[in-house]
């Protein structure tokens, strides 16, 4: 049971990074990115291939960050002139393209068999049980560092400029903000964070395959950010922890319902998650931790 708890908390930290990535691009810049699972996969495969070629794990993580940011820039250039709904469709298609490339390009990704034996840092020295504790601490530390950096960015003039673009990009451009540059930077940073989450996941599981990067991951992260509070890094992290814990808890709830087939049990889990989200949004329409919007300064009164 303890091992399962540690596994769940490690998964919470990794999903927390994905939620921060989505919150930056959606809650910050107002761009709907449905390709989160694709960037997650890019980071996982980049780090797995780099470390498989002999590079240290830290180099693999660096490769995931660089490749994720580069792919994010390419996607942004390709979708720059699209409206929000078309951008969502194209990014969803991008995630599926990445999954199909991983499935069919066996020379690079080993196809549906996936890549196994991915380096797990210090696992040989620590042993399986101590490695689980170590990796939980490491993933949580990475999450805290990224959360602190994004929270600082959120309160900075850069973060305020992103939110101005989210609210009205034409007005922001009229005020002198370089909208295109801000969008490119935000998308690249968001993609790099999602890729880092993928790299952490790959070295935690020591195995990746195309089945690990289904579009359902993106849906879960949207649920997490929506329930936690769009536009607030703390809300995104809280939402990710709640969604993962709730997802894992439904495994036990479905065992208490007799007479259902495995497919029906899986559908029941999805239904429970949907009901929980509806309840949260009914009670807290802006999420559990709504975005903090500072009040406008009071203009000085005339003397």
């Amino acid at each position: 049971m303890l091992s399962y708890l540690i596994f769940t908390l490690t998964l919470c930290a990794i999903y927390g990074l994905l939620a921060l990535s989505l919150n930056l691009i959606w809650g910050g810049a107002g761009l709907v990115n449905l390709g989160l699972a694709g960037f997650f996969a890019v980071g996982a495969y980049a780090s797995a291939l780099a470390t498989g070629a002999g590079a240290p794990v830290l180099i693999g993580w660096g490769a995931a960050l660089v490749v994720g940011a580069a792919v994010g820039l390419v996607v942004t250039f390709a979708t720059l002139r699209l409206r929000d709904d078309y951008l969502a469709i194209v990014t969803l298609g991008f995630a599926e393209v990445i999954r199909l490339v991983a499935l069919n390009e066996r020379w690079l990704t080993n196809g549906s068999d996936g890549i196994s034996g991915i380096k797990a840092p210090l696992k040989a020295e620590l042993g399986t049980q101590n490695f689980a504790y170590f990796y939980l601490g490491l993933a949580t530390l990475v999450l805290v560092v990224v959360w602190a950096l994004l929270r600082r960015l959120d309160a900075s003039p850069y973060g305020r400029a992103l939110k101005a673009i989210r609210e009205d990009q034409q007005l922001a451009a009229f005020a002198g903000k370089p909208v295109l540059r801000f969008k490119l930077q935000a998308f690249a940073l968001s993609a790099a964070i999602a890729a880092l989450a993928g790299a952490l996941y790959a070295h935690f599981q020591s195995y990746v395959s195309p089945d690990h990067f289904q579009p359902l991951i993106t849906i879960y992260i949207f649920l997490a950010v929506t329930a936690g509070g769009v536009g607030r890094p703390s809300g995104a992290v809280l939402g990710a922890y709640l969604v993962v814990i709730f997802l894992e808890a439904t495994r036990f709830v479905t065992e208490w319902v007799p007479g259902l087939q495995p497919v029906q049990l899986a559908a029941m889990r999805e239904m429970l998650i949907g009901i929980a989200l509806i309840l949260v949004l009914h009670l807290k329409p802006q999420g559990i931790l709504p975005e903090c919007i500072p009040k406008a300064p009071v203009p000085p009164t005339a003397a």
Side-chain angles (χ1 to χ4, degrees):
M1 186 64 185
L2 181 60
S3 299
Y4 181 66
L5 181 62
I6 294 170
F7 168 81
T8 302
L9 291 175
T10 307
L11 205 59
C12 284
I14 293 171
Y15 272 49
L17 280 174
L18 285 173
L20 285 173
S21 163
L22 179 63
N23 184 66
L24 171 65
I25 194 66
W26 182 36
L31 300 173
V32 181
N33 177 14
L34 291 182
L36 209 61
F39 295 109
F40 189 51
V42 164
Y45 275 102
S47 190
L49 292 172
T51 54
V57 173
L58 283 178
I59 299 296
W61 291 357
L65 282 168
V66 172
V67 173
V71 174
L73 285 174
V74 171
V75 172
T76 314
F77 272 117
T79 59
L80 207 55
R81 299 184 184 280
L82 298 180
R83 287 194 339 235
D84 286 348
D85 45 357
Y86 291 107
L87 173 64
I89 293 169
V90 170
T91 51
L92 181 63
F94 158 77
E96 189 60 12
V97 166
I98 293 293
R99 196 181 69 82
L100 291 176
V101 168
L103 189 61
N104 292 291
E105 299 298 326
R106 293 188 62 87
W107 62 274
L108 181 65
T109 63
N110 209 24
S112 60
D113 293 336
I115 300 175
S116 58
I118 300 171
K119 285 182 183 177
L122 299 178
K123 188 172 185 178
E125 293 82 356
L126 296 174
T128 303
Q129 187 64 35
N130 288 332
F131 169 76
Y133 287 116
F134 164 73
Y135 210 84
L136 170 60
L138 182 63
T140 307
L141 177 64
V142 172
L143 174 65
V144 170
V145 169
V146 174
W147 168 80
L149 291 174
L150 290 184
R151 193 165 177 268
R152 189 175 179 84
L153 183 144
D154 194 52
S156 69
Y158 183 86
R160 292 196 291 274
L162 279 183
K163 290 184 177 179
I165 293 170
R166 178 191 69 183
E167 296 299 325
D168 191 332
Q169 63 176 0
Q170 290 181 336
L171 186 60
F174 183 74
K177 302 299 179 187
V179 174
L180 173 60
R181 196 179 74 193
F182 273 90
K183 283 186 176 180
L184 286 170
Q185 291 171 346
F187 213 110
L189 181 57
S190 170
I193 295 171
L196 177 61
L200 280 170
Y201 179 79
H203 291 282
F204 176 54
Q205 297 281 42
S206 293
Y207 171 72
V208 291
S209 76
D211 289 341
H212 290 170
F213 307 105
Q214 299 287 345
L216 199 57
I217 292 177
T218 302
I219 304 301
Y220 288 152
I221 300 304
F222 264 89
L223 293 179
V225 176
T226 304
V230 180
R232 189 168 178 180
S234 302
V237 173
L238 175 64
Y241 272 77
L242 290 178
V243 166
V244 173
I245 291 171
F246 190 80
L247 272 171
E248 295 301 319
T250 56
R251 292 183 191 276
F252 302 100
V253 171
T254 52
E255 290 177 0
W256 300 341
V257 183
L260 294 181
Q261 300 297 320
V263 174
Q264 293 171 315
L265 291 174
M268 185 177 175
R269 290 183 65 200
E270 305 299 330
M271 184 182 69
L272 290 173
I273 293 164
I275 292 173
L277 179 68
I278 291 171
L279 285 176
V280 168
L281 293 182
H282 179 70
L283 298 172
K284 292 277 189 180
Q286 302 301 320
I288 299 172
L289 294 177
E291 181 182 5
C292 296
I293 301 176
K295 294 181 180 178
V298 178
T301 55

